[in-house]
Amino acid sequence: MRIDVVTIFPDYLAALDLSLVGKARTAGILDLRVHDLRDWTTDRHRTVDDTPFGGGAGMVMRPDVWGRAIDDVAGLSAGTPDAAGAVHLVVPTPSGETFTQRTAEALATEEHLVVACGRYEGIDARVAEHYRSAGMRVSELSIGDYVLNGGEVAALVMVEAVGRLLPGVVGNPESLVEESHGAAGLLEYPVYTKPPAWDDLEVPDVLLSGHHARIHRWRRDQALRRTAVRRPDMVRALDVDTLDRHDLEV
Ligand code: ADE
């Protein structure tokens, strides 16, 4: 997969050289390119923003600068006829739809993502409209109900969530199945490692029993309880047909 991130703060994205995403890049699974939006400005001051029409506080990012940047990284400047259809444009914004594990799964099937990180009061609304009309998939996405100073941290979150789903990135793909927000629709059960006793706290006996069926049942009960307490919204969204007889005893 190729991901182009366009930002006025390329250094923010330096963390993507680290850890699993960094390894995916070196392994050639993820072709991640970070660009400075100011490379597409045309004035001496490298201006990317201006005052909002209609008045109000703050500055808005100019559509002409964004248009040149996105055309370039999406390969539209080269005049390839169906280039727009090959790209999914992601715009992190607090006014977007919520980015979830399902969104990450859907984006992980794309060949080419372009992530446009806005700052200030956001990007001129015509940018998303223009690329939608050109046949590009465009997703304006929020990582949660709070406001950050710009899209960069949200882009980090999204690239990591999508990148770890690419085949070959997470060493043991089974760890993607049981994790929180995975296929079971539950939060993950609590986990323990050595030592078996630490500071008068002991690992639950069942986990030391070697009895796989009992361990499986205990973990599922813990996941159900934890989800009920912390995320009742997720319990309501469970498909009852995926529950077994014992689940209903919890
Ligand atoms: N930019 C600023 N706040 C954001 C948020 N919550 N999600 C995505 N992008 C943002």
Side-chain angles (χ1 to χ4, degrees):
M1 170 186 265
R2 174 170 159 192
I3 305 182
D4 288 272
V5 181
V6 185
T7 164
I8 56 165
F9 293 119
D11 290 347
Y12 247 107
L13 284 302
L16 294 175
D17 283 335
L18 308 172
S19 185
L20 278 183
V21 173
K23 272 200 219 145
R25 293 175 78 178
T26 1
I29 298 169
L30 178 62
D31 174 7
L32 176 72
R33 309 178 193 187
V34 180
H35 312 267
D36 187 341
L37 177 67
R38 292 192 201 278
D39 290 347
W40 286 277
T41 55
T42 49
D43 64 317
R44 202 158 55 85
H45 300 290
R46 314 221 307 152
T47 310
V48 293
D49 60 343
D50 215 317
T51 52
F53 281 123
M59 301 289 269
V60 175
M61 296 188 105
R62 293 176 59 108
D64 50 349
V65 182
W66 272 109
R68 283 191 293 273
I70 296 169
D71 279 359
D72 255 4
V73 299
L76 305 185
S77 315
T80 325
D82 53 356
V87 172
H88 193 136
L89 176 63
V90 174
V91 185
T93 166
S95 59
E97 290 173 27
T98 308
F99 176 85
T100 66
Q101 189 66 21
R102 304 290 87 76
T103 324
E105 286 162 1
L107 293 177
T109 66
E110 296 282 3
E111 288 286 314
H112 187 183
L113 301 179
V114 172
V115 186
C117 299
R119 281 261 144 186
Y120 318 116
E121 298 306 308
I123 302 175
D124 185 300
R126 289 169 291 180
V127 173
E129 190 185 329
H130 169 80
Y131 287 102
R132 273 195 194 104
S133 313
M136 202 178 267
R137 292 178 292 292
V138 178
S139 299
E140 294 173 88
L141 297 172
S142 165
I143 59 162
D145 294 344
Y146 38 80
V147 180
L148 305 166
N149 285 334
E152 287 75 11
V153 170
L156 283 173
V157 168
M158 294 180 200
V159 171
E160 178 156 325
V162 170
R164 63 192 291 282
L165 296 178
L166 301 177
V169 174
V170 168
N172 179 359
E174 269 190 27
S175 54
L176 298 177
V177 176
E178 290 213 324
E179 67 187 3
S180 298
H181 310 293
L186 298 172
L187 299 180
E188 195 177 21
Y189 47 78
V191 294
Y192 301 86
T193 185
K194 295 178 195 63
W198 171 72
D199 197 26
D200 83 10
L201 293 172
E202 291 186 2
V203 171
D205 283 340
V206 60
L207 298 179
L208 310 175
S209 70
H211 194 302
H212 293 297
R214 278 177 43 212
I215 293 172
H216 178 79
R217 184 68 249 165
W218 182 87
R219 286 181 164 164
R220 177 133 181 115
D221 290 348
Q222 292 289 317
L224 284 161
R225 281 171 194 278
R226 186 179 254 193
T227 310
V229 170
R230 299 181 181 178
R231 293 293 303 273
D233 58 310
M234 286 175 64
V235 173
R236 281 193 292 275
L238 278 178
D239 174 0
V240 268
D241 294 335
T242 66
L243 296 177
D244 64 38
R245 195 160 47 85
H246 300 289
D247 288 341
L248 304 173
E249 292 164 5
V250 174

